[in-house]
Amino acid sequence: MLPLEFSPEVAKARAEDRPLVALESTIITHGMPYPQNVDTARRVEAEIRTAGAVPATMAVMGGKIHVGLTDSALEALGQAQGVAKLSRADLAACVATGGTGATTVAATMICARLAGIGVFATGGIGGVHRGAETSFDISADLLELAQTPVTVVAAGAKAILDLPKTLEVLETQGVPVISYGQDAFPAFWSRDSGLKAPLRMDHPAQIAAAHRMRGLLGLPGGQLVANPIPQDAEIPSAEITPHIEAALAEAEAQGIAAKAVTPFLLARIFELTEGRSLVANIELVLNNARLAAAIARELG
Ligand code: PSU
Ligand code: MN
């Protein structure tokens, strides 16, 4: 028996064969401060329901992978301290030992596949960190995209990363990178990274068809859909870049490494932009939730 615990809402959706959208929980525990984290998680779930699909937020608690969280579980997770940040390497250990853990993009993809969910919405994926040629810091999210058949909708990769190297690794690993509605690869807070995405699609039905075709061809792995942040919410690259540089310099000076890097940078950029980065982050996640719901409905 798989250690999956479906929430009442998700169990009902499965029984009725309704489209589901997976959601991660690291964005709640490590990506945003309380109470905006819980508020955003609720709004993202509501957005998916309005768009005709059912949200399934993943988290590990009490020896189970929870697929869908009740409102009180969401609130408790959002307030909890010291929650583990789970990726492929530590997911099984956390479930086996009864720990509490939040799922990153990589771990959420694994959980989604186990639950039979083909689409997942998040903010930004992890990628190749700047200086990876010496630190070897490359997010497990990229290798998960290469092996787990889930379509991930994100606003590109965060500009705190080395975006050209991130795209190179995705290409090497055979991951389709599809920009939605534009040619440019988006950079999370900004719509245009200055890099062209390898693929472009303008309709959820095309994305769903490509997802199905990968399965039919026996190709392992998923797809990365890069959905640009809405125009009115974007922080132009010229404005966010100095803050990113400052946060990166501080991380280096303080010797921040491994799993702590991404949460540290997000929190510092939040402070440096006086909260603007968080407002943009919330809007882009909501936008990704809407697109993921449309893709889930097309996947049927
Ligand atoms: N993007 C966000 N907020 C986040 C993350 C990404 O806007 O909190 C999280 C995701 O869970 C992603 C993880 O999988 O950061 C990547 O961490 P790392 O770079 O350590 O692989
Ligand atoms: Mn890392």
Side-chain angles (χ1 to χ4, degrees), residues 150-285:
V150 174
T151 289
V152 179
V153 182
K158 284 176 289 285
I160 55 177
L161 300 166
D162 186 323
L163 296 182
K165 286 195 185 73
T166 299
L167 287 174
E168 286 296 345
V169 170
L170 287 167
E171 185 189 67
T172 302
Q173 294 288 331
V175 178
V177 178
I178 305 162
S179 267
Y180 184 68
Q182 67 177 30
D183 293 327
F185 183 66
F188 200 71
W189 298 292
S190 321
R191 288 173 64 83
D192 186 349
S193 64
L195 302 164
K196 193 172 176 295
L199 298 165
R200 169 185 175 154
M201 290 185 189
D202 294 344
H203 303 287
Q206 296 173 316
I207 298 166
H211 176 105
R212 278 194 298 267
M213 186 56 72
R214 282 185 68 87
L216 197 62
L217 299 180
L219 295 169
Q223 311 188 102
L224 174 61
V225 176
N227 187 27
I229 183 172
Q231 210 125 35
D232 50 4
E234 97 164 318
I235 307 179
S237 147
E239 197 179 322
I240 192 92
T241 301
H243 299 308
I244 293 171
E245 304 287 349
L248 284 165
E250 286 177 37
E252 164 129 30
Q254 295 180 34
I256 309 287
K259 275 171 184 279
V261 174
T262 299
F264 175 89
L265 292 174
L266 289 174
R268 272 310 279 149
I269 292 167
F270 167 71
E271 289 164 4
L272 292 167
T273 60
E274 288 164 354
R276 241 192 107 199
S277 67
L278 180 60
V279 174
N281 197 340
I282 292 167
E283 290 306 317
L284 66 84
V285 182

Side-chain angles (χ1 to χ4, degrees), residues 85 127 129 136-140 257-262:
K85 174 182 163 186
H129 281 266
F136 278 49
D137 189 349
I138 299 175
S139 176
K259 275 171 184 279
V261 174
T262 299

